[in-house]
Amino acid sequence: QVQLVESGGGSVQPGGSLRLSCEVSGFTLDNIDIVMGWFRQASGKEREAAAFIRHRDGRTFYADSVKGRFTISKDNAKNTVYLQMNSLKPEDTAVYYCASVQLSTFGSSWHAEAIPGHEGRGTQVTVSS
């Protein structure tokens, strides 16, 4: 049974940092076809694909809104994906979801689609003074 469980969310002041974790069971992260990452959804807004990592070559993909501030990584031994979030802004406030995805690339552009049944329940991140 596939399970993805996020943790590490919370409340932080602007400029602060948080590290989200996603523990995965039911499949291993060292499968050559695996792409893992994070979506986020703010209240009343569309879901945004934030950050992804492709096992095949270790390449990472970031939304422009988080590039330079967020870093995605994974520990295959722990079967866990991480999202280090620095220099947090109020607009980063959202529920963050971990997922295994199908990733399409078009030159320098990319699109991630969550695989049905391969998504966690989310963890809330609130950035406020």
Side-chain angles (χ1 to χ4, degrees):
Q1 183 179 0
V2 172
Q3 280 193 311
L4 294 84
V5 180
E6 302 96 337
S7 61
S11 295
V12 64
Q13 292 188 340
S17 298
L18 283 174
R19 188 176 83 152
L20 305 184
S21 299
C22 172
E23 294 186 39
V24 177
S25 57
F27 64 93
T28 57
L29 299 186
D30 60 358
N31 183 303
I32 194 167
D33 295 322
I34 290 292
V35 181
M36 295 294 302
W38 297 86
F39 294 91
R40 66 182 186 177
Q41 187 164 20
S43 179
K45 295 190 176 181
E46 290 190 1
R47 191 161 84 159
E48 178 185 28
F52 297 89
I53 184 166
R54 186 167 63 189
H55 175 72
R56 186 181 77 210
D57 55 6
R59 184 177 170 187
T60 55
F61 303 82
Y62 296 98
D64 288 343
S65 57
V66 308
K67 200 173 294 182
R69 301 186 298 120
F70 290 13
T71 303
I72 188 170
S73 62
K74 63 187 181 78
D75 184 331
N76 292 337
K78 295 182 178 179
N79 227 38
T80 299
V81 183
Y82 303 99
L83 186 66
Q84 178 67 44
M85 306 186 295
N86 299 328
S87 301
L88 282 162
K89 306 174 181 180
E91 51 263 43
D92 295 318
T93 295
V95 178
Y96 285 71
Y97 301 90
C98 175
S100 174
V101 302
Q102 294 284 354
L103 185 74
S104 303
T105 57
F106 316 91
S108 60
S109 300
W110 54 272
H111 175 76
E113 197 75 33
I115 295 173
H118 286 220
E119 188 169 345
R121 293 178 176 269
T123 185
Q124 175 71 46
V125 171
T126 302
V127 185
S128 173
S129 55

